[in-house]
Amino acid sequence: MKVLISVDIEGVSGIVHPTETNPDRYDYERGRALMTAEANAAVAGVLDAEPTAVVWVTDAHGTYRNLLPEELDRRARLVRGKPRPLGMLGGIDEHVDAVLFVGYHARAGHGPAVLAHTMNDGILDVRVAGRSMGEIGLNAAMAGHLGVPVVLLSGDDSACAELHDLVPSALTVAVKQALGQGAAVVLHPEEARERLRRAAAEAVTRRALVSPLVLAGPLEVEVDLSAPFMVDLATLVPGVSRTEGGRTVTFTAADFADAYRLVLLLAQLAAVKPA
């Protein structure tokens, strides 16, 4: 079997502040070490249950260059760097049997939740067929479009609830209890890793019980952006139009893969600074 582990940083145990997630800040090196250790726990759990599995680990935070290659479990393959097809799910295809989300966080506007956002601070909300979706929902539905189930998520309790709402049969590991955007009650990192390793083994063992999240097209997508100039940029993309109110753009996607790719593009435009 083949397993893809997508690893973000905001949902890692011990992480509560941007200084621990931003390469330009003083506490980042400790944050990326914690991130790498949780990735290794998930890899170990998968291989405990399926010793012959092919395991790919996808760096899914920011620059996609956070996980320490020399510290990653040598039995795994690392997907690193950007831009790349399918963003946080780099390396996924229809041959993957299961996806695990490690260190994930809740969507923008949801809370209490640690470091909640959707892709970057320029995006306030994404709605697909009227349903608000953050990175958890968007990535789960993209995997589902390829027929791949998300069998496990680790993060704070809000992130776990977000996946359960979308994929009730998936397993979750709450490594911290959110008190707000920048505060939480956290497990000791070693305890978090032990729980994650056990849950990863269980999740791949019971993968047949988890159905992929499939959203059939065509799909109406709305994206709320934080600044008017971002809307101006977004409407340069064919098929994207501005709605009344000035902050929201909308488009129709033939299927979820088209929706996902265009949301990734809009997220990049939302990160552009005004000239």
Side-chain angles (χ1 to χ4, degrees):
M1 67 176 298
K2 182 177 179 181
V3 175
L4 183 79
I5 303 173
S6 175
V7 188
D8 206 347
I9 197 170
E10 289 88 355
V12 169
S13 183
I15 301 293
V16 296
H17 194 274
T19 59
E20 298 160 330
T21 69
N22 188 326
D24 298 326
R25 306 296 287 276
Y26 74 91
D27 223 5
Y28 169 70
E29 289 303 321
R30 187 175 67 86
R32 70 194 303 209
L34 291 171
M35 178 188 184
T36 305
E38 286 202 5
N40 283 338
V43 172
V46 170
L47 293 173
D48 287 344
E50 298 281 351
T52 61
V54 174
V55 182
W56 284 21
V57 175
T58 294
D59 193 320
H61 174 67
T63 62
Y64 299 165
R65 290 183 288 109
N66 309 277
L67 293 168
L68 297 164
E70 66 275 18
E71 298 296 332
L72 191 68
D73 191 315
R74 65 185 297 168
R75 297 172 295 177
R77 295 293 177 266
L78 175 61
V79 183
R80 191 169 192 261
K82 70 189 309 183
R84 66 189 184 207
L86 301 183
M88 294 175 74
L89 293 175
I92 196 170
D93 59 27
E94 63 276 8
H95 302 297
V96 171
D97 296 287
V99 173
L100 286 68
F101 292 166
V102 172
Y104 267 56
H105 56 81
R107 68 184 185 274
H110 186 67
V114 177
L115 298 173
H117 65 279
T118 299
M119 297 188 176
N120 58 49
D121 292 339
I123 292 183
L124 301 177
D125 193 22
V126 177
R127 293 178 297 282
V128 181
R131 183 170 195 167
S132 180
M133 285 190 162
E135 293 168 28
I136 293 170
L138 293 169
N139 288 318
M142 185 61 239
H145 177 76
L146 296 171
V148 184
V150 177
V151 299
L152 175 72
L153 176 143
S154 70
D156 70 13
D157 52 332
S158 293
C160 292
E162 196 168 314
L163 182 66
H164 273 150
D165 186 48
L166 296 163
V167 188
S169 53
L171 297 182
T172 59
V173 180
V175 299
K176 52 193 170 188
Q177 177 186 354
L179 300 177
Q181 181 73 3
V185 180
V186 304
L187 293 178
H188 188 283
E190 291 181 1
E191 175 66 20
R193 293 168 207 156
E194 289 176 7
R195 295 187 187 189
L196 179 54
R197 181 171 182 165
R198 291 194 299 267
E202 182 181 357
V204 295
T205 300
R206 63 187 296 276
R207 62 190 180 275
L209 302 178
V210 184
S211 298
L213 176 62
V214 178
L215 301 181
L219 296 163
E220 293 295 321
V221 182
E222 300 170 284
V223 181
D224 296 341
L225 300 168
S226 64
F229 82 91
M230 297 175 184
V231 177
D232 295 337
L233 287 175
T235 55
L236 297 175
V237 179
V240 176
S241 60
R242 185 192 313 255
T243 65
E244 292 184 11
R247 183 170 282 180
T248 301
V249 296
T250 185
F251 62 91
T252 301
D255 56 28
F256 196 85
D258 284 352
Y260 186 87
R261 292 187 181 97
L262 192 42
V263 169
L264 291 184
L265 176 60
L266 294 179
Q268 291 301 306
L269 293 177
V272 173
K273 303 298 182 183

